[in-house]
Amino acid sequence: QELRTLIRTEPNGIFTLYKGLAPTLWRDVPFSAIYWLCLENFKTKLSMTGGRFGGQQYVDRGEAIPPTLLAAHAFVSGAGSGMIAAFFTTPFDVVKTRSQLGDTSESSIRAVATSTAHSSRSAVLCDHGGAVAYNPLSHSSLPTSHHRHPQQKPTTISNLSTFNHMKHIVREEGIMSLWRGNTARMIKVAPACAIMISCYEFGKNLFSTIEEEM
């Protein structure tokens, strides 16, 4: 139902479902390349590291590294690789999110917020058939209805190409805006990648051991 409504009401029809596809590909393809490259390097280094957590002691004795230790190596490697890949691809994630939301620049958002604050006067908008609640702390005592004063739509730039969109963000908000939300994304991606790859490695090695014993 929602899918049919979206296709019928949006100007681009079915292509609306693919909004933000280009920045999504620019984000996910490099992410996978960076992730797997770092993952294999980290796992190799850990397997050749001495000490209790390393795998060199088992290699020296001619023994297979236990599945639990391989899973631990994969967990640490996956978390580190995920954080690195997330950091380098966050600019594309920012562009993807803004494109899908009908991007608004920070300056446009502030302008609309300021305009709305001045025009709302003493009214607190409520969804009760157009009624408004009086706010005694405001400068004016004349309530206004949000039906009579619709909010101005912010200017969108979602039709720009991925890299032009990035240039626009840098020009309007500074280069660090391309990494907005990076910390939250790394906190989300790191454990997700760690859990995924460690479960995969543990299961793969466990079933391989069982198969050899049979």
Side-chain angles (χ1 to χ4, degrees):
Q1 177 74 28
E2 184 65 27
L3 183 62
R4 287 197 297 267
T5 303
L6 181 67
I7 295 173
R8 187 170 60 251
T9 57
E10 289 292 327
N12 295 325
I14 194 170
F15 293 104
T16 301
L17 300 175
Y18 297 92
K19 194 172 187 179
L21 175 62
T24 298
L25 293 175
W26 276 108
R27 178 196 66 179
D28 290 351
V29 174
F31 181 95
S32 296
I34 297 169
Y35 174 75
W36 290 105
L37 176 65
C38 293
L39 178 72
E40 293 302 324
N41 277 278
F42 291 163
K43 284 168 55 182
T44 301
K45 289 184 183 300
L46 286 173
S47 66
M48 296 187 300
T49 301
R52 187 176 180 181
F53 187 70
Q56 189 63 42
Q57 56 180 320
Y58 297 96
V59 176
D60 293 341
R61 295 198 299 261
E63 300 176 1
I65 301 176
T68 51
L69 185 58
L70 287 173
H73 288 175
F75 186 92
V76 174
S77 301
S81 302
M83 292 178 69
I84 293 171
F87 174 81
F88 283 106
T89 57
T90 289
F92 296 109
D93 188 62
V94 169
V95 173
K96 177 202 74 75
T97 303
R98 293 193 178 198
S99 296
Q100 292 175 335
L101 292 176
D103 172 79
T104 57
S105 65
E106 186 177 11
S107 57
S108 298
I109 294 173
R110 288 179 177 175
V112 172
T114 303
S115 175
T116 304
H118 286 311
S119 63
S120 62
R121 299 179 186 176
S122 61
V124 177
L125 303 182
C126 303
D127 190 15
H128 299 295
V132 292
Y134 175 67
N135 181 4
L137 298 179
S138 64
H139 298 291
S140 173
S141 59
L142 297 176
T144 59
S145 169
H146 62 292
H147 289 291
R148 295 182 181 179
H149 299 280
Q151 290 185 356
Q152 177 186 354
K153 287 186 177 181
T155 304
T156 62
I157 58 169
S158 55
N159 291 330
L160 291 176
S161 67
T162 300
F163 289 96
N164 284 334
H165 201 149
M166 295 174 81
K167 290 178 184 177
H168 176 85
I169 293 173
V170 171
R171 185 171 60 250
E172 293 291 324
E173 305 172 39
I175 192 169
M176 293 309 298
S177 292
L178 292 175
W179 276 270
R180 181 165 293 174
N182 178 64
T183 301
R185 183 166 181 254
M186 291 172 71
I187 292 173
K188 180 197 77 170
V189 169
C193 290
I195 293 170
M196 179 275 293
I197 197 64
S198 59
C199 290
Y200 169 77
E201 289 290 344
F202 179 78
K204 182 182 73 173
N205 289 285
L206 180 62
F207 288 116
S208 296
T209 303
I210 294 174
E211 186 178 2
E212 289 174 2
E213 292 176 353
M214 293 176 61

